[in-house]
Every structure is written in structure tokens, then in C-alpha cells.
Amino acid sequence: MSLKGEKIACFGDSTTWGDNGIGTGGNQISWTTQIKPLVKASEVTNLGVKGSRMGIKADRTDSFVERWQRGIDLSGDVIVVFGGVNDFERAVPLGKMGSEDPHTFYGAVNTLVTGIVGRYPEAQVVFLTPCKSGGVVRKGLPPFYQKNEVGEYEEAYADTVLEVCAHYAVPTIDLFRTSGISPLIPEQQKLYMPDGLHYSCAGYGRLAHRIAAGLNALTYFED
């Protein structure tokens, strides 16, 4: 029972795209590239878009929901959905459990969970909570322990992913609490998070190992 030979589709934002915050990132350093040999997958598709939020806001048209609505191809044996940090940083309203309004975070996650599982009912879908953000002061982006412009902490967005996925029995990996990388520890931030928000090659490698362990624990295939 392993991921050997399986295809993995990774739907995400800059943390999937491979942004390191200093202009030298890309798919070549992303966790999506580094996870492939760890799990021996036959194919890992990087569907990350820098700055993408799960929820819809008027200033952009590349949210997870809008990309989903435009028919993005997530074909794979495993579909990994990793987002939420930009919803926190850019103050997407949280909303309430049960909402179907994709302009709220609850509504967006609900739309994505039901839509992706509905379109790919045989795939093994796993959602990841956003990692703790150290914020980027020069861009006005708050760290996880400060409230955003709608009065929410990042933890609320992570908990929304967990709550909605639990409602639909969709597996999750809680990177907000267990990524193994802390922006509060200067030595780790310097090594793994150059700008406090995005990851270095070593940081993405550390995430790749954590995500690989989670996927191996949560997915199942016949050998």
C-alpha cells in the first residue's frame, strides 16, 4: 500500500508554485518536485498560482474557486489542495459553516470540497491547512498571531479547512500546527523562510517530507 507509480495533482498557491520570496524560486524547488522521489510517484503536477486565494475577491480572477469553475484539470490518483494563507493575508471574509458563498472562506472551501470530490469521486483527495505565516511587513501582510483586516487570525482559516473537510469525511494534513517549520524561531526562519512567508529550497524539502508522511498515512493503494 504505497504511492509508488501513482499520479498526484497539486492545486495551490505560491507555496505550491515554489515561490521563495526572493525571486529565484519556481517548480524546480517546490515541494511538488521534491516529493516525487520520496513517494516514488509516476507523475506530480504542479498547479500552483502565486497569490491565488481559495475565495473570490474582486481584485483578481485566479482564485481556487474561479480556476475550478473554469475547468482546471485535477486528474490524478491523489489530489492535494493546499491554500488559505492568501485568504488570511488578503482578508477574505471567513463566513460561517454551511455557507456556499465562494466570496467567503467557508463557502469557498465548501465549494472546492464538494466540487472536487464530486468530479473525481474515485480519487483520494487530501486538503492541507496553510502553514503559519511570519508575515511580510513591507507588503502589509500580517503574521499568523496578528489579526487581519477583517479581524481574524490565521488559525481561524486553518480551522475552517479542518471543519469543512471533517464534515465531508475528507482527509487533512494540518500543516498550520505540524509543518515542522516555525517563523517564530529565527534560526528556522533564516534557513527555511527567507521572507517570512515563502520557503527556500531546503524549506520546501522539509515540507515535502512532512507532506509525504501525511499522504502515506492517509492514502491507500493496492501494491
Side-chain angles (χ1 to χ4, degrees), residues 162-204:
L162 298 177
E163 184 179 4
V164 175
C165 287
H167 182 71
Y168 291 105
V170 171
T172 54
I173 300 172
D174 188 5
L175 293 181
F176 182 77
R177 295 173 176 86
T178 66
S179 70
I181 300 175
S182 175
L184 298 178
I185 300 174
E187 294 83 359
Q188 277 204 326
Q189 179 171 335
K190 181 179 179 180
L191 182 62
Y192 297 129
M193 303 177 74
D195 68 347
L197 175 61
H198 302 97
Y199 295 86
S200 63
C201 183
Y204 282 118

Side-chain angles (χ1 to χ4, degrees), residues 32-106:
T32 61
T33 296
Q34 298 192 58
I35 200 173
K36 186 177 179 181
L38 297 178
V39 298
K40 297 180 173 59
S42 64
E43 181 179 321
V44 180
T45 304
N46 185 331
L47 297 164
V49 171
K50 292 192 291 184
S52 181
R53 306 163 193 138
M54 298 182 89
I56 298 173
K57 288 192 78 173
D59 62 327
R60 295 180 66 132
T61 60
D62 59 0
S63 68
F64 286 43
V65 169
E66 288 162 296
R67 288 189 283 154
W68 169 252
Q69 291 172 338
R70 289 195 291 266
I72 190 170
D73 184 4
L74 298 179
S75 300
D77 303 296
V78 176
I79 300 171
V80 178
V81 184
F82 185 12
V85 69
N86 291 316
D87 298 80
F88 162 66
E89 298 288 10
R90 300 298 184 180
V92 171
L94 202 61
K96 296 181 179 180
M97 183 63 182
S99 172
E100 296 181 356
D101 178 3
H103 296 85
T104 70
F105 192 64
Y106 266 107

Side-chain angles (χ1 to χ4, degrees), residues 54 65 104-114 127 160-161 164-165:
M54 298 182 89
V65 169
T104 70
F105 192 64
Y106 266 107
V109 177
N110 187 76
T111 297
L112 292 166
V113 170
T114 58
F127 274 65
T160 295
V161 174
V164 175
C165 287

